[in-house]
Amino acid sequence: MRILVNIDVPDLEHAIDFYQRAFGLKLQRRLGPQAAEMLGAQAPIYLLEKAAGTPAAGATRQPRDYARHWTPVHLDVVVDDVDLAVAQAVAAGANLEDPAQTHAWGRIAHLSDPYGHGICILQFLGQGYDALTSEKPSGTRTLRFQPVSEADFEALLALRIEAMRESLERLGRFDPARARSRLRATFRPEHTWSIEQDGERIGFYALRPDGDGLRLDHLYVRPAAQGQGLGGLVMRRILETADSRGLPVRVGALRDSDSNRFYRRHGFVQTDESEWDIDYLRPAPAPKP
């Protein structure tokens, strides 16, 4: 079975422009003067020009209404970075109704297009919807978080160098001696956790008290274990720890590192920058009424 998505709009040309700029869809072809096929999603999207006030269906005679309205069927637009996608959609003319919120499975924001249709922009994190079910998909492996001691310093240093090497070499700043010095200056075993998968250490993170909040000093995953959503699982644990205590989280990222995009995806906002680093803050959650 195939699904085709049809969206009634009052102005076809305006709608083509909006969906191109908001979500990166491309006009594939025109189906006469009042319909257009848009591609770029997993299902084709057809924009159909229908005047406001015309009957929506012969049986009900309900008129079309392009003021904000609700229906039980709406578009979910899945993206890699919900904040960037929301900003792009709003710039194109969408209305932001609920800013992105973080859940166990990912982040979601509620919007409407200029024609009153509800749209959700969502970004899966970690296990995605699998986080909502007790059934583990085939091949799923469990992460464990173990405390470390002073005796783990050399092993953690080697892991940090392995994880950071590519980014530092790209900037011409790879220096094992500097890496040792920076880790040594901030290493606090009592605030550091080893990330283990199937009994093997694949990373570590350090989260310590810092003024009125927490500071994420380190978060590293071996390159061989990256690209599997494991960083998102670890970040969820970190943010759940902070949220349970009502605290903000601060972190610094190497300029031009992929970690900048990772932190922005998880709700961190830039607060400062220097020649080599960018500082971020993930605000404390709003108090519950």
Side-chain angles (χ1 to χ4, degrees):
M1 181 178 70
R2 295 177 63 216
I3 297 292
L4 306 181
V5 179
N6 292 270
I7 302 175
D8 287 359
V9 297
D11 184 327
L12 182 62
E13 299 308 317
H14 187 276
I16 290 172
D17 179 66
F18 170 76
Y19 278 93
Q20 285 177 326
R21 293 190 296 118
F23 302 114
L25 298 181
K26 294 183 179 179
L27 175 61
Q28 175 69 7
R29 55 181 174 166
R30 294 179 180 271
L31 307 174
Q34 295 180 304
E37 181 183 56
M38 309 293 290
L39 297 186
Q42 289 185 327
I45 293 178
Y46 293 87
L47 304 178
L48 310 177
E49 186 173 294
K50 305 285 186 178
T54 56
T60 65
R61 309 301 295 178
Q62 180 178 352
R64 289 181 173 84
D65 179 3
Y66 294 111
R68 182 64 173 102
H69 55 272
W70 178 87
T71 67
V73 179
H74 62 270
L75 291 181
D76 277 357
V77 181
V78 181
V79 299
D80 292 329
D81 188 324
V82 69
D83 298 303
L84 288 178
V86 166
Q88 178 175 309
V90 170
N95 299 306
L96 177 62
E97 299 177 343
D98 293 302
Q101 299 291 322
T102 302
H103 302 272
W105 52 268
R107 305 187 69 219
I108 185 169
H110 301 110
L111 305 91
S112 60
D113 71 7
Y115 325 109
H117 306 311
I119 296 174
C120 293
I121 296 181
L122 60 93
Q123 169 192 344
F124 290 120
L125 299 175
Q127 297 177 346
Y129 285 151
D130 289 336
L132 303 179
T133 176
S134 59
E135 299 177 5
K136 293 186 178 295
S138 175
T140 295
R141 295 182 286 182
T142 303
L143 291 184
R144 297 184 62 195
F145 301 92
Q146 300 291 339
V148 305
S149 68
E150 182 64 37
D152 292 301
F153 178 82
E154 293 297 332
L156 298 182
L157 172 62
L159 197 155
R160 180 184 190 273
I161 290 174
E162 181 183 359
M164 291 285 290
R165 182 165 189 154
E166 181 180 351
S167 294
L168 290 169
E169 286 182 338
R170 192 163 59 238
L171 294 175
R173 284 178 55 81
F174 177 67
D175 183 343
R178 182 188 293 117
R180 172 182 290 275
S181 176
R182 295 192 69 169
L183 181 60
R184 181 76 272 174
T186 57
F187 185 53
R188 304 290 184 272
E190 67 273 23
H191 298 304
T192 305
W193 286 264
S194 174
I195 305 167
E196 299 183 0
Q197 185 180 58
D198 295 343
E200 177 187 359
R201 177 181 286 154
I202 61 164
F204 73 96
Y205 77 89
L207 185 68
R208 63 174 173 84
D210 179 38
D212 62 349
L214 300 172
R215 174 165 289 277
L216 181 59
D217 277 327
H218 305 287
L219 172 54
Y220 304 111
V221 175
R222 291 187 187 280
Q226 294 176 10
Q228 305 174 34
L230 302 181
L233 291 176
V234 178
M235 181 57 72
R236 190 173 77 198
R237 171 185 166 92
I238 292 169
L239 297 182
E240 286 175 351
T241 298
D243 289 352
S244 69
R245 299 164 62 183
L247 298 176
V249 181
R250 296 177 177 84
V251 69
L254 183 67
R255 184 183 293 277
D256 295 331
S257 168
D258 292 339
S259 61
N260 290 277
R261 184 179 179 188
F262 173 78
Y263 290 130
R264 289 194 296 266
R265 284 207 315 265
H266 286 85
F268 286 81
V269 294
Q270 182 176 336
T271 58
D272 200 3
E273 61 181 298
S274 62
E275 182 180 4
W276 301 110
D277 299 299
I278 298 177
D279 294 327
Y280 292 96
L281 171 71
R282 196 267 194 174
K288 295 183 179 180

